[in-house]
Amino acid sequence: MITRTLSGTIQGVDVETVEIEVNAYDRDTPEPLQEPHFTLIGLPDAAVRESRDRVRTALSMHGVPLPTGVTTVNLAPASLRKTGGLYDLPIALCLCAFRGHFPRQILEESMVVGELSLTGEIRPIRGALPLAMHAKSLGLKQMILPRENVQEAAISGMRVFGVENLREARKLLASLEEAIPTQVKVEELFHKALREELDFRDVKGQDSAKRALLIAAAGSHNVLMVGQPGVGKSLIANRIPGIMPSMTLEESMEVTRIYSIAGLLPQGEGLVVRRPFRSPHHTVSDAGLMGGGSGIPRPGEVTLAHRGVLFLDELPEFRRNTLEALRQPMENGVVTLARSSGSYTFPCRFMMVGAMNPCPCGYYGSPDHRCHCTPMQVAAYRGRLSGPMLDRFDLHLEVPPLPRELLLSPHQGPTSAELRETVLEARARQRHRFQDTPIPDNAGIAGADLDRFCRLEENGRRYLEQALEARNLSARSYDRILRVARTCADLNGQEKITEAELAEAIQYRAMDQNPLAQTSW
């Protein structure tokens, strides 16, 4: 007789249903010296094929006799490649149902996932949350999975049960009607798990940098910081998530889904509530940054930074082809990877923050004349960033060295909480403005909508036209200036964009000019 249950497989950041069918029987006159025949079909990889030995040993350790005849396990659909060890538990429970430990119908109404050890212990898996969300969308009654993953899966609202070993799983299914599923109050979890962010009060001086990052956080604009070593570029970048709006529940679920699939969900936390901050080293590979790997690709750093900040320190030191690969994801908010097994799309809507020195030695323009780089060396160093890549940064920010008297003074300036309140007010204006559109924020205004949402009066139009001609700015720079000016107006509490907002936005396009003309750098 055939026993069925449902499981799933992760395909990129999506889940595909896998139906597990087990057909087994006992011989009338079993031969004592003959091994029971166990066949596993359905395009399994090496890890899935090895589940035969794990299931056999785990069942024998728990006193469940194996069928003496032929056991055939089919993982459907046959055209979908199966990977990993999460099919061990459903196969073992199907064989337990064959022995009559509980009704077969219970398994048909459940999704079961879990990897078995040889002793029958159930190991944690990746992707518990997306699997639970998929089970809920299929209308299944319950989900059985490893206990370590139960808090994460319960966030989906699915009726979930966590088990530690095969014996506990059998007992659960034998008395499922009396069992109490794991429940998680998402709101309480959200507030408890929220950790204290790094505070901008720790940054002395740098008022111009704080203003620029306030604009960036208010409109989700990309920022490029240029400054000498030790002026605080990394210190500032690490505090950006603290002034961004807190994630909504929907965003938290989105990010948690990604981190669950990547196996990076923090221990003991079922929900990611803090905006991601990813800072890969400049030696990162294309696959590490964009996503990839053998077989089914996994999320890269750009996807792990989804809804948060991607910080690239020492930007010119990254390989040119690696940086150029970022251009399309920065524009579209998704990265698509084509493999022989199919095409996979990962979300990657992040705020990009780059940092670089003004020259190879880092001290170009220093008043003590420490820099001995030639103009050709400086131009070659800055030329590692292509024009199209520079265009994708909305704000080009100079971070000057801190005066000695300010360095020795006590901490001063606004806190992250105070800056966040200002950001929230600007975001509230944007939500009201874009409430009938799919536009999320000012940085997401499409070129066709700029005339509607960034309308200029005659004086402002003439002022911008003169600036574009004087600085020889590109069409993409023009779009960026309008979006940043729109955010500046929101921070100033006004709907009209005046010459003051345009002037502030234009000053953040300094790298669009001849880089050697910037004597302060």
Side-chain angles (χ1 to χ4, degrees):
M1 186 177 291
I2 295 177
T3 305
R4 296 181 176 89
T5 190
L6 290 181
S7 189
T9 182
I10 303 295
Q11 300 287 310
V13 291
D14 299 317
V15 177
E16 295 286 345
T17 305
V18 174
E19 183 178 4
I20 297 175
E21 301 173 308
V22 179
N23 184 28
Y25 68 91
D26 288 320
R27 289 193 181 95
D28 295 333
T29 55
E31 299 180 16
L33 298 180
Q34 185 173 352
E35 284 284 333
H37 191 70
F38 196 123
T39 303
L40 184 61
I41 58 176
L43 206 60
D45 70 350
V48 179
R49 288 195 297 270
E50 292 168 353
S51 66
R52 293 176 298 186
D53 298 319
R54 291 193 294 268
V55 170
R56 280 174 177 168
T57 307
L59 288 174
S60 64
M61 292 290 289
H62 284 259
V64 180
L66 292 171
T68 57
V70 176
T71 300
T72 304
V73 178
N74 180 38
L75 307 179
S79 59
L80 183 66
R81 187 163 188 83
K82 320 303 184 304
T83 61
L86 70 165
Y87 309 111
D88 296 357
L89 182 59
I91 294 172
L93 290 179
C94 284
L95 291 173
C96 290
F98 166 76
R99 288 300 180 198
H101 293 279
F102 44 82
R104 286 183 169 89
Q105 185 181 357
I106 293 177
L107 285 179
E108 294 176 0
E109 301 169 342
S110 308
M111 175 174 280
V112 186
V113 292
E115 179 183 339
L116 287 173
S117 69
L118 295 182
T119 60
E121 300 297 315
I122 302 174
R123 303 182 189 277
I125 61 166
R126 293 184 179 187
L129 176 59
L131 286 166
M133 294 171 67
H134 185 67
K136 187 177 181 181
S137 69
L138 294 176
L140 298 176
K141 289 187 176 180
Q142 57 269 329
M143 181 178 183
I144 293 92
L145 74 165
R147 179 157 294 176
E148 286 87 343
N149 300 113
V150 71
Q151 292 286 330
E152 170 192 347
I155 297 170
S156 66
M158 183 67 182
R159 192 166 178 258
V160 297
F161 299 92
V163 289
E164 289 186 353
N165 52 57
L166 188 55
R167 182 178 291 107
E168 187 177 333
R170 288 160 48 203
K171 289 181 179 179
L172 170 69
L173 292 174
S175 57
L176 193 60
E177 292 183 359
E178 293 80 20
I180 301 175
T182 301
Q183 295 180 347
V184 175
K185 293 183 178 180
V186 177
E187 294 80 8
E188 292 182 6
L189 183 63
F190 196 92
H191 292 298
K192 286 180 182 179
L194 189 59
R195 293 175 292 183
E196 186 177 354
E197 301 280 0
L198 298 173
D199 203 321
F200 255 98
R201 185 177 286 274
D202 299 334
V203 181
K204 294 183 178 181
Q206 304 296 4
D207 293 337
S208 60
K210 291 177 182 177
R211 170 64 182 179
L213 294 175
L214 182 69
I215 296 170
S220 292
H221 300 291
N222 301 323
V223 185
L224 174 61
M225 295 186 288
V226 184
Q228 298 178 13
V231 297
K233 300 186 295 294
S234 300
L235 183 76
I236 293 171
N238 277 275
R239 282 153 177 76
I240 295 175
I243 64 173
M244 297 174 71
S246 299
M247 284 199 293
T248 63
L249 180 58
E250 181 182 355
E251 290 175 333
S252 293
M253 295 278 284
E254 210 175 337
V255 175
T256 303
R257 180 187 180 100
I258 294 169
Y259 276 68
S260 174
I261 291 171
L264 297 176
L265 202 60
Q267 187 68 26
E269 292 186 18
L271 188 67
V272 177
V273 298
R274 188 183 184 187
R275 290 198 178 272
F277 181 86
R278 304 294 299 182
S279 180
H281 193 259
H282 61 77
T283 57
V284 65
S285 65
D286 292 0
L289 187 64
M290 308 303 297
S294 59
I296 297 173
R298 290 185 177 176
E301 289 292 337
V302 294
T303 301
L304 295 174
H306 182 59
R307 302 295 182 187
V309 175
L310 178 66
F311 176 49
L312 300 186
D313 200 7
E314 304 294 343
L315 193 61
E317 302 299 333
F318 284 79
R319 285 189 289 270
R320 179 71 173 260
N321 62 309
T322 302
L323 289 180
E324 294 303 306
L326 278 172
R327 286 160 49 181
Q328 184 179 1
M330 288 173 69
E331 288 288 328
N332 301 336
V334 294
V335 56
T336 301
L337 304 176
R339 297 291 184 269
S340 59
S341 57
S343 182
Y344 304 88
T345 299
F346 297 88
C348 58
R349 191 165 295 281
F350 55 85
M351 177 178 161
M352 174 79 162
V353 179
M356 61 178 286
N357 296 328
C359 68
C361 76
Y363 294 101
Y364 180 77
S366 177
D368 56 5
H369 304 291
R370 277 192 286 177
C371 177
H372 298 287
C373 299
T374 65
M376 185 175 297
Q377 289 174 321
V378 177
Y381 178 77
R382 297 185 183 179
R384 295 179 187 177
L385 298 182
S386 66
M389 189 65 189
L390 278 175
D391 275 348
R392 281 165 171 79
F393 287 98
D394 301 339
L395 299 97
H396 303 161
L397 170 65
E398 178 187 2
V399 184
L402 200 64
R404 192 167 301 167
E405 59 274 11
L406 189 57
L407 182 64
L408 299 175
S409 66
H411 288 192
Q412 54 186 336
T415 64
S416 291
E418 294 169 346
L419 294 175
R420 190 190 303 118
E421 287 300 318
T422 307
V423 169
L424 291 176
E425 292 175 5
R427 288 291 184 106
R429 295 187 183 93
Q430 294 171 49
R431 281 196 304 271
H432 177 73
R433 181 183 303 119
F434 305 135
Q435 59 184 346
D436 298 325
T437 72
I439 301 173
D441 43 48
N442 287 338
I445 301 176
D449 296 320
L450 285 173
D451 290 339
R452 175 184 173 188
F453 295 113
C454 304
R455 188 173 300 166
L456 300 178
E457 295 183 347
E458 185 59 33
N459 290 340
R461 190 179 299 276
R462 190 163 49 249
Y463 178 83
L464 182 56
E465 182 180 352
Q466 294 172 354
L468 291 174
E469 184 177 354
R471 294 175 177 243
N472 194 25
L473 300 177
S474 67
R476 184 178 283 115
S477 296
Y478 166 77
D479 292 351
R480 304 280 178 185
I481 289 171
L482 285 181
R483 294 187 185 108
V484 172
R486 175 71 274 164
T487 303
C488 293
D490 289 339
L491 287 170
N492 295 337
Q494 58 190 38
E495 188 60 30
K496 291 183 179 180
I497 299 177
T498 66
E499 294 179 44
E501 284 79 39
L502 288 172
E504 185 173 14
I506 291 170
Q507 75 170 343
Y508 294 123
R509 303 302 305 176
M511 289 289 285
D512 288 337
Q513 304 175 72
N514 178 1
L516 297 183
Q518 305 302 313
T519 54
S520 61
W521 294 356

